[in-house]
Amino acid sequence: LMDLQPAGSQGGTYAGNAVACAAANATLEVIRGEGLLANTKARGEQFMTGLRAIQAKHPRGLISDVRGRGLMIGLEFNGDGSATDVPVGPQVSARCLEKGMLVLTTSVYDTLRFIPPLTVSEAEVEEALAIFDEALTEVIGEQLAA
């Protein structure tokens, strides 16, 4: 690879880097060999179905949107964005963390982002959904009691 590059053509850190190219090829082999794309599709569908079931279970309008592709999923709460609006996402994220699951808050909207590893198992997705549902139920219960 280096013999194909004329002198002075290496204009950046990543340009023509043989080690980086070898690492990329190895990564693609693992993705193919371990069936990560199929797992991503199946677990993403499982996650979306589970989150939509949780959306239907809670008060109407609490969760305004569940969206994503594969294992990059967003769940948006239906806040009005006013100064008196108390975002639910950060509270649910903190409660999930207490239960051993990291869920990221994101955006200026009250949105949570779920991005599990491509190797996540069916059982791990079920566990994540259970933790999220429990955390959400607790936070909403506390808000209603206040």
Side-chain angles (χ1 to χ4, degrees), residues 75-93:
L75 180 142
E76 186 173 341
F77 293 101
N78 194 20
D80 63 11
S82 70
T84 59
D85 183 35
V86 179
V88 176
Q91 295 174 57
V92 174
S93 177

Side-chain angles (χ1 to χ4, degrees), residues 4 8 11 14 20 46 53 59 71 73-74 81 87 89 91 103 108 113 115 120 132 136 139:
L4 298 175
Y14 308 109
Q46 177 189 3
L71 287 170
I73 300 168
Q91 295 174 57
V103 179
V108 296
R113 182 174 22 183
I115 309 178
V120 69
F132 174 72
L136 179 60
V139 167

Side-chain angles (χ1 to χ4, degrees), residues 92-114:
V92 174
S93 177
R95 190 63 54 90
C96 285
L97 185 58
E98 290 172 11
K99 297 175 181 300
M101 184 173 80
L102 182 62
V103 179
L104 303 173
T105 57
T106 184
S107 176
V108 296
Y109 301 102
D110 195 6
T111 303
L112 295 178
R113 182 174 22 183
F114 298 84

Side-chain angles (χ1 to χ4, degrees), residues 1-7 9-10 16 18:
L1 185 61
M2 292 306 294
D3 292 339
L4 298 175
Q5 303 294 322
S9 67
Q10 295 290 320

Side-chain angles (χ1 to χ4, degrees), residues 110-144:
D110 195 6
T111 303
L112 295 178
R113 182 174 22 183
F114 298 84
I115 309 178
L118 303 180
T119 57
V120 69
S121 70
E122 182 176 358
E124 289 168 328
V125 171
E126 286 303 319
E127 181 181 7
L129 290 167
I131 290 171
F132 174 72
D133 190 23
E134 183 178 324
L136 179 60
T137 300
E138 290 173 6
V139 167
I140 296 306
E142 291 166 6
Q143 284 186 351
L144 293 174

Side-chain angles (χ1 to χ4, degrees), residues 46-75:
Q46 177 189 3
F47 225 128
M48 295 285 282
T49 299
L51 289 174
R52 287 191 174 120
I54 292 169
Q55 179 183 26
K57 172 182 164 180
H58 286 278
R60 185 173 176 89
L62 173 65
I63 299 172
S64 62
D65 193 21
V66 176
R67 58 184 175 269
R69 180 173 237 177
L71 287 170
M72 188 171 186
I73 300 168
L75 180 142

